[in-house]
Each structure stands twice: as structure tokens, then as C-alpha cells.
Amino acid sequence: MSLVPGEKVFVTGATGVVGRAVCDQLVARGVGVVALSRQPRPDRPGLSFVQGEVSEPGSWQEALGGMSGVVHLAGEPIAAARWNTGVKRKIRASRIEGTRHIVDGMMRLASPPRVLVCASAAGFYGPRGEELLDETSPPGTDFLARLCVDWEAEAQRAQGPNTRVVSLRSGMILSKEGGALPRMLPVFRSGFGGPMGPADRFTPWIHQDDAAGLAVAALEAEGPGWRGPVNAVAPELLRMGPWARILGGVVRRPALIPVPEWTLRLILGEAAIAVIPGQRIVPRAAEQGAYRYAHPTLKGALQALLQRGPS
Ligand SMILES: NC(=O)c1ccc[n+]([C@@H]2O[C@H](COP(=O)([O-])OP(=O)(O)OC[C@H]3O[C@@H](n4cnc5c(N)ncnc54)[C@H](OP(=O)(O)O)[C@@H]3O)[C@@H](O)[C@H]2O)c1
């Protein structure tokens, strides 16, 4: 069911890469946004903040009342640091307990929001080589895969006669404002870029506008594809070698210097798996749901991002 102007959506992670784009898309359509943040920004027309920490229950849960939908994106950054026990605990708590508190808050309402769109990640599948993966493929077994399985299970608790749940299994989200791309750009622009890890490994990706566009489509769409897991990846399947060459081409530099897998493992340890995913994923549900990508090719996506002014 389409959202109409005046309806409201609760968004967590609204200050992040995808959350900002989701808020902009909703506000542009006249939909009100109530955003949860640990450090609220000033309100602006159509967007008001509620202060709160999603991994702790609190009075912020009352703000879920009267919402038509929820987009839950908040979570401790995954590939920003080596995964020691403390980092792993924060990554899990912010997602598993965070989602639990969102769902508990929704389930307490006499009239709960009619849809919960919750982040997940392509890491659900674990590294899978040449296997073609869609939303029906089984999960992997590493830390990230188990995190996604538990995260999606928490979100699914909200599924009911009046509430639909969608989990967005995102590939690497391309943005100039956060995530992997801003860390790659200086290296590629200086001519020292190249494939990260094995050049033949598939690297699922998506432009931030499509990551947000899929979240908004999932809020509104009612078709069979828009329930349960949705692969939030671009339709262009690329291995890391061509991926790096395309980025080098867009910044007009050669991309010939590979970063060996052992170097990534030395720097990031187990978290290297988030950088060199190795998943050949098709966005089956988005295709069945007739989602129209704004940026279906990597070259077009990068050109659109890098033409938006200096990073
Ligand atoms: N970016 C990617 O490439 C990618 C790929 C696959 C999946 N995802 C998933 O998609 C979701 C959105 O990604 P994103 O890139 O937009 O994330 P992001 O830019 O890192 O923003 C996430 C937001 O979550 C909140 N947050 C951060 N640490 C938190 C913590 N420990 N506890 C509670 N809240 C915390 C922050 O909001 P406040 O500070 O305002 O509270 C932050 O703005 C995330 O769950 C992420 O795991 C992202």
C-alpha cells in the first residue's frame, strides 16, 4: 500500500549513509519521518528526532505508536575495526538487541506499523565462490552470516496478520559519505589502486540511492517478492578485478596494484571477510517486484557519485 503524504515512518540509523537517503526520499514525498538517534540533529520540515539508544529499551519505543512503517538501519559499523570480542559484542548487540527492542515496541501497540523494513547484509550467505545465490539460498556459517541469521530472525518476530517484514540483504553500499568507497578513493586517485583480495571474487554492491530506494519500495510494495529477505544488490554481477578496473577508469587512473588477501587479513583480521565477500548474488525479489534501479551499472553508479562534487 503506497504511503500517502501525512503518514509517518519511524527510521533508525537515520544519520547514517542509507538512513539519510531514506529520510530524504520519504520527506520529498510528503511522508513524515520520526528518526531515532543517540545524538539527534536539529529537526527540519518533515523530519523530527527522538533521542535514544536502540540497543537499550526506553521511552523512545513509545514513538513507534502512530507510525505506518518502520525502517530499522541502526548498527555499530561492521568493517571499521578488527573484530575483537568487544567489537563483536557491540556489532551483535546493536543489531540483535536493537531489533528486539524495535519489535517489542511494535508488538505492544494495539495498532502496530504495517511494515518493518530491517537492514541485513549480503554477508548472510558467507563466501560462496561461483554459486549463484538468491533469496532462497541457505546461509553461511561465519560470524557475519550467523549475525545476519539471528538479526533476520529477530525482525521476523514482527511478522503478523497486520504487519509485513522485509530484511534487506545489502551488498557494499556505495556512497561518498561513508562505508568502503571513501577509504578506497584516495588510493585509487593516487594511482595505487587495484583489486582488494582475489581478483576473481564476486563483489556485490549497490548505490546508496538504490539501497534507500529499495527500502522505500519495500515499505510500500505488497507483492509476493516484498516479504522476508530481499537482496539489496545491483543487477550487474562483477568480480573484484573488473570492479577495480571500473573504479580506476572513473577516476582516470590505472588500477593495477592488488591488495593481497593476506594483507587485508593482517590489517582487519576476521573482519576482512566484509571487504572481500565472494558472493555471486542476484536481486531476484527486486526483479520480481519490478524495482527500477536508478544505477544498475557500477560505472554509472560511480560516475553519478563522483560527479556530485569533491569528496
Ligand atoms: N554500508 C554498507 O556497505 C552496508 C552493507 C551491508 C549492510 N549494511 C547495513 O545497513 C545498515 C545501514 O548501513 P549504513 O552504511 O547506512 O550505516 P552507518 O552509516 O554506519 O549508520 C548507521 C547508524 O546506526 C547508528 N549506530 C551506529 N553505531 C551504533 C550502535 N553501536 N548502537 C546503536 N546505533 C548505532 C548511528 O546513528 P546515531 O549515531 O544517530 O544513533 C549510525 O548513523 C547497517 O545496519 C549496516 O550494517 C551496510
Side-chain angles (χ1 to χ4, degrees), residues 225-243:
W226 300 100
R227 188 177 290 268
V230 169
N231 288 337
V233 297
E236 187 181 44
L237 294 169
L238 286 170
R239 295 176 195 272
M240 181 37 90
W243 209 107

Side-chain angles (χ1 to χ4, degrees), residues 15-18 37-38 53 73-76 94-95 120 170-171 173:
T15 59
V17 167
V18 186
S37 174
R38 295 164 304 170
E53 163 64 77
L73 303 166
E76 178 76 10
S94 58
R95 289 178 173 77
S120 178
S170 302
I173 296 167

Side-chain angles (χ1 to χ4, degrees), residues 12-19 36-39 41 52-55 72-78 90 94-95 119-122 151 168-174 179-180:
T12 78
T15 59
V17 167
V18 186
L36 179 72
S37 174
R38 295 164 304 170
Q39 291 173 303
R41 315 294 197 260
E53 163 64 77
V54 77
S55 46
H72 173 37
L73 303 166
E76 178 76 10
I78 283 188
K90 273 191 186 171
S94 58
R95 289 178 173 77
S120 178
W151 192 3
L168 293 176
R169 294 179 182 163
S170 302
M172 183 199 298
I173 296 167
L174 299 183

Side-chain angles (χ1 to χ4, degrees), residues 74-232:
E76 178 76 10
I78 283 188
R82 288 176 76 90
W83 289 344
N84 59 29
T85 312
V87 171
K88 278 185 170 175
R89 189 164 28 77
K90 273 191 186 171
I91 288 174
R92 275 192 71 86
S94 58
R95 289 178 173 77
I96 311 299
E97 286 158 38
T99 304
R100 187 173 306 151
H101 300 318
I102 290 281
V103 174
D104 287 349
M106 289 173 65
M107 288 169 80
R108 280 204 284 270
L109 298 167
S111 177
R114 58 180 186 264
V115 54
L116 166 63
V117 178
C118 186
S120 178
F124 173 90
Y125 301 106
R128 298 286 273 270
E130 298 296 305
E131 188 181 346
L132 201 60
L133 303 165
D134 69 13
E135 287 86 350
T136 63
S137 302
T141 54
D142 57 280
F143 168 75
L144 210 47
R146 281 182 280 113
L147 170 76
C148 293
V149 169
D150 295 345
W151 192 3
E152 292 186 13
E154 284 295 341
Q156 272 303 318
R157 290 195 305 114
Q159 180 73 45
N162 301 316
T163 303
R164 186 169 53 86
V165 176
V166 176
S167 289
L168 293 176
R169 294 179 182 163
S170 302
M172 183 199 298
I173 296 167
L174 299 183
S175 166
K176 279 203 313 179
E177 285 103 40
L181 188 61
R183 286 185 268 163
M184 296 161 78
L185 272 177
V187 185
F188 276 76
R189 282 187 167 136
S190 63
F192 290 101
M196 288 183 305
D200 62 352
R201 207 165 281 187
F202 281 95
T203 304
W205 64 275
I206 187 164
H207 187 288
Q208 63 179 17
D209 291 348
D210 281 320
L214 278 165
V216 174
L219 273 177
E220 299 195 293
E222 293 289 354
W226 300 100
R227 188 177 290 268
V230 169
N231 288 337

Side-chain angles (χ1 to χ4, degrees), residues 279-299:
Q279 293 132 359
R280 189 181 181 195
I281 301 177
V282 286
R284 190 86 69 208
E287 282 167 6
Q288 283 169 354
Y291 177 76
R292 292 184 62 185
Y293 283 85
H295 305 285
T297 67
L298 181 64
K299 185 176 177 187

Side-chain angles (χ1 to χ4, degrees), residues 253-271:
R253 291 285 184 278
L256 301 171
I257 304 174
V259 184
E261 184 171 354
W262 65 264
T263 310
L264 290 168
R265 292 202 183 275
L266 198 68
I267 298 166
L268 287 170
E270 197 186 344

